[in-house]
Amino acid sequence: MAGDGEYERDQNYLTTRITADGRDGYPVEAGRYRLVIARACPWANRAAIVRRLMGLEDVLSLGIAGPLHDERSWSFHLDPGRKDPVLGIERLQEAFFRREPGYRRGITVPAIVDIPTGQVVTNDFAQITLDLGHQWTAHHRDGAPDLYPQERREEIDELAGTIFRDVNNGVYQCGFAGTQKAYDEAYRRLWERLDRLEERLSSRRYLVGETITEADVRLFVTLVRFDAVYHGHFKCNRHKLTELPALWAYARDLFQTPGFGDTIDFEQIKAHYYVVHSDINPTGIIPQGPDTAGWLTAHGREELGGQPFGDGTPPGPPPPHEGVPPLP
């Protein structure tokens, strides 16, 4: 927390990369690494989506931490024996300590763990998705999309930067603001950006170009949590997502695209925010709503043109053990 009450996110991550050439000592290798996520976490949700879109399920295994954690770290409390079945650990903290004893920075997801050593390689969430898309190409499924095309990178980077500052992190700056002034400023930035995105998406199906890109992945993970969590819990309550015609239709379009909605577990999302953030919600009561049935209603975005995967194809269904509960 800054002196003026503004929430400051710790962005000091392990920036080691897993690359095709192994420049950091960790070459891309099928079966060697485990991607650890939590269904609740938007930053981890990005990695889960990109892994699905690239078709990496058979080469990069998935560990799923439960929605609850304490000051120590995310834990595997939903797994049999409360341990990750591959890493054999109860808490993600253990993999960070194997990399760096007494690790003092944030124990965050997503994290990629080197299975032979049990050590975290990286938790640099922004770089993880870019590398899954462009370093793991030897293992991509046929028809995998290019989410970060060379000719569009400058536009994607600029847009993704503003989305991170004002929306992805902006909702947290509203929710964890320590003063009225800090909250008011974060709220203003959030809604100014959402208004601009509403206008942008009123005439185009995707944020950049005619296909899904990294920018869409990054915006979606906040929009899909907006009404369930951020609107009330984080006081981002000027409007609900369902009251913003373009953004609501855009979010439904992505949700119904294979690789997006099939990574979303609304019950785990709500359990995390409303139980773990006891300073904001001291009763720990989890709201019953909102009704999620609307996510499956027609969105009409096809009329704007564009193809979600360009010349590629959608991914197949997720492996049975990675499925999420269907919407009612």
Side-chain angles (χ1 to χ4, degrees), residues 22-323:
R23 69 193 72 167
D24 289 352
Y26 292 95
V28 168
E29 186 178 329
R32 176 172 172 176
Y33 305 101
R34 188 161 177 82
L35 172 64
V36 177
I37 67 163
R39 295 289 188 198
C41 174
W43 320 102
N45 198 174
R46 296 181 182 187
I49 290 169
V50 174
R51 174 179 173 271
R52 284 272 294 117
L53 297 181
M54 298 301 112
L56 293 171
E57 292 94 336
D58 291 337
V59 299
L60 176 63
S61 69
L62 188 68
I64 304 176
L68 307 181
H69 67 71
D70 57 22
E71 68 280 358
R72 287 174 289 179
S73 82
W74 295 91
S75 67
F76 299 98
H77 60 89
L78 299 182
D79 285 312
R82 304 177 69 88
K83 290 185 177 183
D84 179 89
V86 172
L87 301 174
I89 57 177
E90 296 183 359
R91 297 177 179 277
L92 183 57
Q93 183 188 58
E94 297 173 53
F96 279 83
F97 283 178
R98 288 175 183 172
R99 166 72 184 265
E100 186 178 311
Y103 184 84
R104 295 183 180 276
R105 288 169 278 171
I107 309 294
T108 63
V109 289
I112 300 183
V113 179
D114 180 44
I115 296 172
T117 64
Q119 298 179 4
V120 168
V121 178
T122 180
N123 63 335
D124 187 354
F125 67 89
Q127 191 63 50
I128 283 173
T129 54
L130 296 177
D131 284 346
L132 291 179
H134 282 267
Q135 296 296 325
W136 291 71
T137 53
H139 300 286
H140 284 180
R141 65 179 178 86
D142 292 338
D146 184 355
L147 301 178
Y148 196 50
Q150 186 68 46
E151 69 277 10
R152 295 283 190 177
R153 289 184 181 181
E154 184 175 351
E155 185 178 4
I156 292 170
D157 288 346
E158 180 179 0
L159 193 56
T162 59
I163 289 171
F164 171 81
R165 184 189 67 228
D166 300 334
V167 181
N168 299 144
N169 197 48
V171 294
Y172 284 84
Q173 290 183 314
C174 289
F176 291 124
T179 65
Q180 187 69 48
K181 180 181 179 181
Y183 165 76
D184 290 346
E185 179 59 23
Y187 183 92
R188 179 191 64 78
R189 289 195 306 268
L190 168 67
W191 283 104
E192 284 182 355
R193 184 62 55 194
L194 287 176
D195 284 343
R196 292 180 188 177
L197 291 168
E198 173 75 11
E199 181 179 5
R200 183 183 184 97
L201 289 165
S202 65
S203 59
R204 55 196 303 165
R205 189 171 181 185
Y206 303 111
L207 285 170
V208 180
E210 299 296 315
T211 64
I212 291 168
T213 67
E214 265 288 326
D216 298 297
V217 174
R218 296 184 181 204
L219 179 57
F220 172 78
V221 296
T222 297
L223 295 183
V224 78
R225 289 163 172 77
F226 199 87
D227 286 3
V229 176
Y230 304 140
H231 177 269
H233 185 60
F234 278 178
K235 307 180 185 70
C236 302
N237 59 354
R238 196 192 79 180
H239 290 96
K240 298 175 183 175
L241 177 65
T242 55
E243 297 168 343
L244 303 170
L247 281 167
W248 173 224
Y250 164 81
R252 298 201 316 277
D253 186 4
L254 290 177
F255 187 91
Q256 294 170 33
T257 299
F260 285 83
D262 54 31
T263 69
I264 301 301
D265 187 323
F266 283 109
E267 294 308 310
Q268 289 199 32
I269 289 169
K270 291 192 297 183
H272 169 70
Y273 284 93
Y274 287 102
V275 174
V276 171
H277 298 161
S278 57
D279 51 342
I280 299 176
N281 186 41
T283 65
I285 294 172
I286 303 171
Q288 291 287 338
D291 184 1
T292 56
W295 284 99
L296 300 180
T297 60
H299 51 76
R301 298 283 291 178
E302 303 93 338
E303 297 177 4
L304 295 174
Q307 294 290 331
F309 302 105
D311 295 331
T313 57
H321 63 282
E322 294 182 10

